[in-house]
Amino acid sequence: TCGCGRLERGERAREGCLKRKERAGTMINSIFVMSPTGEVLIEKHYRGYVPRTCCDTFWAEVQKSSSPQEVCPVLVTPKYYLIHIQRYNMYFIANVQMEVQPLLVTEFLHRVVDVFRDYFNEVSEESIKENFITVYQLMDEMMDNGIPMTTEPNVLKTMIVPPTILGRVASSMGVGGDKSNVASDLPEGMLSSIWWRKKGVKYTNNEVYLDIVEEIDCSIDTNGLMVTCDVSGEVLVNCKLSGMPDLTLSFTNPAIIDEVNFHPCVRLSRYERDRVMSFVPPDGKFKLASYSVCTTGQAVVLPLYVKPQIHFSGSSGRVNIMVGPKSNLAGRTIEDVVITIPFSKSIASTNLSVNHGTAHFDDASKSLRWDIGKVPKDKSPCLNGSVQLAAGAETPESGPTILVDFKIVMFSASGLKIDALTLSGEKYKPYKGVRFVTKAGKFQVRS
């Protein structure tokens, strides 16, 4: 009787949430997942059947564009709107027949991708095909009648058990085929005010880890001067704490945090008043907050320099690129450095050499990929050589825009510093670990 009552209360709460969101006009008819070749892998319908031929309009736009990034995120047709995102070379498309907030639909599609990655460790055509049943079960729980519902990975895992290698082997052998991975009861705490954390969590070792991951989006002109520079970041948490802990995260310089987006567990009123993040964390891994950095009045110091010299004359060109760390790193190493040079289609051949790392020229895309790896402290990696133009090709008026990728551990591009991470509500003293990571986002250097 108690279980039935709990289910009835859950259904009433679900219906109330649906009615409120339905009045707000947030409804998605169908969601499609397409492979890089245009094959429809998944089609999930929430408000009546929509033929998959609606994706033909989207794919025609992809075919007409020089790159998938140039396709408009919202396509308007006489019957519906197509809102899409592209991640991991896959296309996730929402079909909407009434006006909605496009960013809400986009955010939901990103949540779907994040949940797939959390469940399957990767998002690819193969992983989706191998886990068809789990994919549809997740999409059933994440949306009801076109209304986003449960999108918290930790809550979903209590409702739908993630697939395991042992489970796949047993299923292929026909063992345990009648056993469902869907829970028969609602998760504990689903109807409480702290619905994101289940009750009765216990750990032998209580630990909490924080990763502050920041990305630099930057554009540098031919004179080495910064044209634009934006820094955005995420606070990622891996929580392994028993009971119902209450955490408070404070920063030494919170004023530089701007346009912050919180996980539902964060008490917004407390942050607006004291500029601290107070929250009861979900169990496991989750994103506590994402933010942008207010760069007004302060210049962002870039961690490395890239000095390109690319000149064309007649039917050939000279290439010279030097990379090195700047003096503000305090001994930290720049890792995973990759330089990508998208040359003109008129390039016929290259004769390039490097003094560190490996360089590979792709003749199909006419792009050069220089894998440097870790930047050494005793020398500056250099790339030198020449390129030849195809017969009769026009000499390029300017050099290509160079794309830079890198990662630096224990370095904050924004200068953000954590003051304290305190715990209340429990008697134990947990182990706390904090790590800063700075990565390149859209980092471009004009030549």
Side-chain angles (χ1 to χ4, degrees):
T1 305
C2 180
C4 292
R6 186 174 64 178
L7 288 173
E8 289 175 2
R9 290 196 301 273
E11 288 299 321
R12 287 198 297 270
R14 192 183 186 96
E15 289 174 5
C17 183
L18 281 171
K19 289 179 180 178
R20 288 194 299 272
K21 292 185 178 180
E22 199 165 316
R23 285 195 295 267
T26 306
M27 288 181 285
I28 298 174
N29 288 72
S30 302
I31 290 180
F32 299 90
V33 180
M34 293 183 69
S35 70
T37 58
E39 178 188 359
V40 177
L41 303 176
I42 298 291
E43 55 177 303
K44 178 63 180 174
H45 306 288
Y46 297 100
R47 299 179 60 83
Y49 175 74
V50 177
R52 64 167 59 184
T53 52
C54 70
C55 296
D56 295 343
T57 304
F58 168 77
W59 189 247
E61 292 294 323
V62 174
Q63 298 288 78
K64 288 192 295 184
S65 303
S66 58
S67 68
Q69 288 76 19
E70 295 182 2
V71 180
C72 181
V74 181
L75 299 178
V76 181
T77 70
K79 292 184 179 180
Y80 39 72
Y81 302 93
L82 294 176
I83 304 174
H84 87 281
I85 64 170
Q86 185 204 20
R87 288 180 62 182
Y88 304 104
N89 293 324
M90 309 277 289
Y91 302 97
F92 297 81
I93 308 164
N95 180 294
V96 181
Q97 291 185 340
M98 65 187 335
E99 289 192 7
V100 300
Q101 298 178 1
L103 289 179
L104 189 147
V105 179
T106 301
E107 176 64 20
F108 178 77
L109 293 176
H110 280 292
R111 292 288 183 93
V112 171
V113 180
D114 291 340
V115 168
F116 286 174
R117 182 185 59 187
D118 200 359
Y119 263 74
F120 312 135
N121 296 323
E122 64 172 350
V123 181
S124 63
E125 187 174 348
E126 292 74 19
S127 66
I128 288 178
K129 287 182 177 179
E130 289 176 0
N131 299 279
F132 262 133
I133 296 176
T134 306
V135 165
Y136 277 102
Q137 288 171 341
L138 289 170
M139 297 184 77
D140 267 333
E141 294 296 338
M142 295 184 70
M143 178 167 284
D144 193 349
N145 196 33
I147 311 295
M149 295 296 292
T150 307
T151 59
E152 178 63 40
N154 296 298
V155 176
L156 286 169
K157 287 180 179 179
T158 62
M159 304 166 69
I160 302 171
V161 180
T164 61
I165 297 177
L166 185 61
R168 293 194 189 100
V169 173
S171 178
S172 64
M173 298 175 62
V175 180
D178 56 341
K179 187 177 180 180
S180 174
N181 64 333
V182 180
S184 57
D185 297 327
L186 284 174
E188 291 187 13
M190 188 69 178
L191 304 179
S192 69
S193 58
I194 310 177
W195 50 267
W196 54 84
R197 184 175 180 87
K198 59 185 178 181
K199 296 181 180 179
V201 180
K202 291 184 180 180
Y203 286 99
T204 304
N205 297 318
N206 292 286
E207 305 167 331
V208 57
Y209 300 96
L210 267 66
D211 280 350
I212 314 296
V213 182
E214 294 186 340
E215 286 192 356
I216 303 176
D217 295 328
C218 184
S219 180
I220 301 173
D221 64 13
T222 54
N223 297 319
L225 300 177
M226 192 184 304
V227 179
T228 61
C229 186
D230 297 305
V231 179
S232 59
E234 294 179 338
V235 182
L236 307 177
V237 182
N238 186 3
C239 179
K240 299 179 180 180
L241 299 176
S242 305
M244 195 67 67
D246 200 319
L247 300 177
T248 301
L249 176 64
S250 59
F251 299 93
T252 305
N253 47 351
I256 67 174
I257 297 178
D258 189 24
E259 296 182 5
V260 64
N261 180 20
F262 290 118
H263 187 277
C265 68
V266 178
R267 300 179 179 97
L268 183 59
S269 58
R270 175 78 186 278
Y271 180 80
E272 291 176 341
R273 185 179 70 249
D274 302 328
R275 288 291 175 177
V276 298
M277 298 182 189
S278 175
F279 57 99
V280 175
D283 183 46
K285 297 179 181 180
F286 67 99
K287 181 167 68 175
L288 179 66
S290 58
Y291 61 90
S292 61
V293 175
C294 180
T295 56
T296 305
Q298 66 171 8
V300 177
V301 181
L302 302 180
L304 84 165
Y305 64 83
V306 179
K307 297 179 179 179
Q309 292 180 348
I310 302 178
H311 303 288
F312 292 94
S313 177
S315 61
S316 64
R318 293 293 304 174
V319 179
N320 182 283
I321 300 176
M322 182 180 296
V323 181
K326 291 192 174 181
S327 59
N328 61 324
L329 293 179
R332 296 176 182 88
T333 304
I334 306 176
E335 304 174 356
D336 302 338
V337 180
V338 178
I339 306 295
T340 304
I341 310 173
F343 282 108
S344 169
K345 299 296 182 183
S346 59
I347 298 296
S349 62
T350 63
N351 182 18
L352 301 169
S353 61
V354 297
N355 67 347
H356 186 82
T358 59
H360 173 72
F361 180 74
D362 185 9
D363 192 58
S365 62
K366 303 297 183 182
S367 65
L368 176 78
R369 179 185 172 93
W370 179 18
D371 287 290
I372 299 176
K374 289 185 178 181
V375 176
K377 298 179 181 179
D378 56 343
K379 66 177 181 179
S380 296
C382 294
L383 180 145
N384 290 283
S386 61
V387 295
Q388 295 293 325
L389 299 176
E394 295 184 0
T395 303
E397 297 180 358
S398 61
T401 299
I402 298 172
L403 307 178
V404 184
D405 197 11
F406 61 85
K407 182 181 75 173
I408 310 172
V409 179
M410 299 309 295
F411 177 79
S412 173
S414 66
L416 184 67
K417 296 181 180 179
I418 291 179
D419 180 45
L421 176 63
T422 59
L423 180 143
S424 60
E426 298 291 340
K427 296 181 179 180
Y428 55 79
K429 291 184 178 180
Y431 175 81
K432 294 174 283 189
V434 178
R435 181 178 68 165
F436 284 87
V437 178
T438 294
K439 301 190 299 183
K442 193 174 182 180
F443 198 106
Q444 300 178 334
V445 181
R446 300 171 188 171
S447 63

